Amino acid sequence: MSKRLVAIGGVAAGMSAAAKAKRTNPELEVIAFEKSHYVSYGACGLPYYLAGWIDSVEKLVARTPEKFAKQGVTALVRHEVVEVDYPGRRLRVAALDEGREFWQPFDYLVVSTGARPVVPPLEGARLEGVFTLRQPEDGVAIRQALATAERTVIIGAGYVGLEVAEAFRAQGKQVTVVELQDRVLPNADAEVSELVLQELERNGVEVLTGVQVEGFAGDGRLEKVLTSAGEIPAELALLSVGIKPNVELASSFGVATGPTGAIAVDDKLRTNLENVWAAGDVAESRHLLTGEPYWLPLGDIANKHGRTAGTVIAGGRAEFKGVVGSAITKIFELAVSFTGLTEADARAAGFEVKSVWIKSADRAHYYPDPHPFHVKLVYETSGRLLGAQIVGHRNDALRIDAVAALLHQGGTVEDLRSLDLAYAPPFSPVWDPLLVAANQAK
Ligand code: FAD
């Protein structure tokens, strides 16, 4: 008899695991249950859908249930797993549109339930006009509300909040960003935050930092956001103050979480329970610089987690070694990228830290239309690289990947300095900004 793999949650991690397991072992029966209306969608594209640059939310879907069916994978939307009977190796599924429940037996389980936005217990947080953004359904509801809204408030100046600020400006809306901490992109170092603030203000975004949102008020629907700095009239507000992993279902049948609050897994994405894997935003990774468990809820990681779990479940060989914390975000004409540890995080982790912050350009000085290119390098006093942040123009910031590759190898400032990087006048000054930073560090 063939074995059955069931994935709980059918987006990046769940469907990667399902598809990879089926490809690796076609004998396996593979089912994914997804409670929303969509599987295999790219939530990362939602800000660009809100901007109006993508006309339909369906375009964010990589593969439909019909396409999965052709590969022999059953993907059932609007099916929520409500209970797991682990000793009995079965789970209780609610077919949400049919009003019925059934028990589904399994041999192998992948918990890929993702994460959800944090909704602080603020008065009026459930008023019409107050949103969070996570799933395609959220995007559709926000875009509809945006059609009649003029004044918008975004609470939280992390990368999702700022990407949406750009989207709302692209739709011609008034945008106020309210951030509790004293700067935008608080996970970056302060030099980066300052440049991002300038870019937001240059593009007409009002930014209030060090301000606390205290609630929302309105007669049936949002009319104003109440803050420690006074009231802000608004028809639409987005709560973007962080996310947390959906671990409750897994915890209910004994899956252990780690110090980050996400599910603890080994390098094969195995949990503490036999035949139960966890992948994606619901699971931890190992940080390759600190060696500690780390929560990096990002789409590329979720795909890699899922692929690894799927391969292993199907009897193949794979491992996910860990992360160095690479990420990139577009904020109007700027792109901001990260890899490794920020200076603040490196100090908090107990490293002896040094850093340099340089300003260069994205092309030769004589080539038309140059843009500033800023690099921050963070390194140990021993010379070992710990991280980098880049603020550049559009795709420029992707050059962070050279540093990410070095971090995976335990590289040093000297290693970076000796890299043979590509050069031609339209793409880089003759001294690549990364090399300038490394030279300065040296
Ligand atoms: P999720 O996408 O959270 O999917 C989990 C699914 O499980 C959900 O659809 C949920 O409905 C379902 N589920 C939960 N519980 C159950 C249950 N009991 N039964 C059935 N189904 C259940 N990442 C990047 O790397 N780069 C980016 O630029 C980027 N931009 C982003 C922008 C936005 C606006 C958002 C919201 C996210 C962005 N991300 C980005 C993060 C990325 O989308 C996530 O890391 C990725 O979606 C995680 O995939 P996942 O499969 O682990 O979890």
Side-chain angles (χ1 to χ4, degrees):
M1 270 224 333
S2 68
K3 299 272 190 186
R4 184 180 295 121
L5 160 65
V6 173
I8 312 176
V11 189
M15 293 323 296
S16 295
K20 183 65 183 165
K22 186 71 186 175
R23 281 200 303 275
T24 308
N25 178 3
E27 298 295 306
L28 210 56
E29 183 186 345
V30 181
I31 307 175
F33 292 112
E34 166 54 50
K35 68 178 174 184
S36 77
H37 291 85
Y38 302 90
V39 290
S40 191
Y41 57 81
C44 318
L46 285 170
Y48 313 111
Y49 166 72
L50 292 179
W53 302 332
I54 299 163
D55 54 12
S56 142
V57 84
E58 270 75 28
K59 289 196 175 157
L60 301 181
V61 173
R63 261 183 285 174
T64 58
E66 292 72 30
K67 282 203 177 148
F68 280 109
K70 284 188 185 143
Q71 295 175 292
V73 172
T74 305
L76 295 171
V77 297
R78 303 285 294 148
H79 281 69
E80 180 174 4
V81 177
V82 288
E83 183 186 347
V84 178
D85 168 15
Y86 177 69
R89 297 293 194 273
R90 59 182 193 152
L91 33 85
R92 188 157 58 91
V93 183
L96 299 174
D97 292 336
E98 298 160 33
R100 70 180 179 103
E101 291 189 350
F102 58 92
W103 284 98
Q104 171 66 60
F106 66 86
D107 298 292
Y108 310 123
L109 198 60
V110 176
V111 179
S112 43
T113 45
R116 63 179 181 277
V118 171
V119 179
L122 295 173
E123 201 184 325
R126 303 283 173 191
L127 262 184
E128 197 182 318
V130 181
F131 296 92
T132 56
L133 178 63
R134 180 74 193 177
Q135 298 188 313
E137 290 90 335
D138 304 325
V140 170
I142 295 173
R143 199 158 138 179
Q144 264 169 14
L146 207 53
T148 52
E150 275 316 311
R151 297 164 301 183
T152 68
V153 175
I154 293 168
I155 299 116
Y159 84 93
V160 170
L162 299 186
E163 287 178 0
V164 174
E166 178 182 1
F168 287 180
R169 288 297 294 147
Q171 295 276 20
K173 307 302 173 186
Q174 192 178 311
V175 181
T176 304
V177 172
V178 182
E179 167 58 50
L180 180 61
Q181 303 213 36
D182 61 357
R183 58 198 173 80
V184 297
L185 268 194
N187 290 341
D189 281 330
E191 301 90 326
V192 172
S193 298
E194 184 53 37
L195 293 178
V196 172
L197 176 64
Q198 289 168 17
E199 183 69 1
L200 291 166
E201 291 181 338
R202 195 168 27 246
N203 285 281
V205 177
E206 185 188 14
V207 180
L208 304 176
T209 52
V211 172
Q212 183 161 16
V213 168
E214 293 166 345
F216 303 90
D219 188 7
R221 54 169 302 119
L222 178 71
E223 289 167 21
K224 53 198 173 191
V225 179
L226 313 173
T227 80
S228 56
E231 297 175 359
I232 309 172
E235 293 82 41
L236 194 161
L238 177 75
L239 267 169
S240 181
V241 296
I243 58 172
K244 61 177 174 187
N246 291 323
V247 295
E248 292 78 1
L249 180 68
S251 301
S252 73
F253 66 93
V255 174
T257 53
T260 70
I263 295 175
V265 288
D266 66 8
D267 61 1
K268 294 186 166 31
L269 282 305
R270 292 179 295 214
T271 68
N272 60 313
L273 296 186
E274 201 184 347
N275 291 333
V276 179
W277 282 254
D281 283 8
V282 76
E284 292 180 333
S285 296
R286 182 156 302 279
H287 200 295
L288 294 173
L289 291 163
T290 63
E292 298 294 323
Y294 189 71
W295 191 46
L296 190 61
L298 288 175
D300 56 331
I301 306 300
N303 274 283
K304 290 175 193 156
H305 273 186
R307 190 181 168 89
T308 305
T311 308
V312 173
I313 292 165
R317 281 167 56 111
E319 57 183 27
F320 183 79
K321 293 198 169 75
V323 299
V324 293
S326 305
I328 186 164
T329 181
K330 173 182 181 299
I331 300 160
F332 295 95
E333 288 301 295
L334 284 189
V336 180
S337 58
F338 310 80
T339 191
L341 303 171
T342 61
E343 183 170 356
D345 287 345
R347 287 192 197 288
F351 291 102
E352 296 272 329
V353 180
K354 285 187 158 187
S355 71
V356 292
W357 169 247
I358 65 117
K359 180 180 178 188
S360 177
D362 64 343
R363 58 196 72 186
H365 67 276
Y366 48 81
Y367 196 86
D369 201 20
H371 300 99
F373 189 111
H374 293 83
V375 181
K376 177 157 185 174
L377 268 191
V378 181
Y379 51 101
E380 264 187 304
T381 43
S382 67
R384 179 186 172 213
L385 282 170
L386 291 176
Q389 293 156 74
I390 291 178
V391 184
H393 180 249
R394 293 190 159 240
N395 293 345
D396 286 347
L398 251 190
R399 278 143 94 159
I400 199 84
D401 287 347
V403 184
L406 280 177
L407 290 180
H408 275 267
Q409 309 301 326
T412 63
V413 168
E414 185 57 40
D415 293 328
L416 179 58
R417 219 174 142 227
S418 348
L419 281 187
D420 173 16
L421 298 178
Y423 160 68
F427 302 103
S428 163
V430 68
W431 279 98
D432 187 283
L434 288 177
L435 302 183
V436 174
N439 278 335
Q440 191 158 321
K442 190 73 186 166

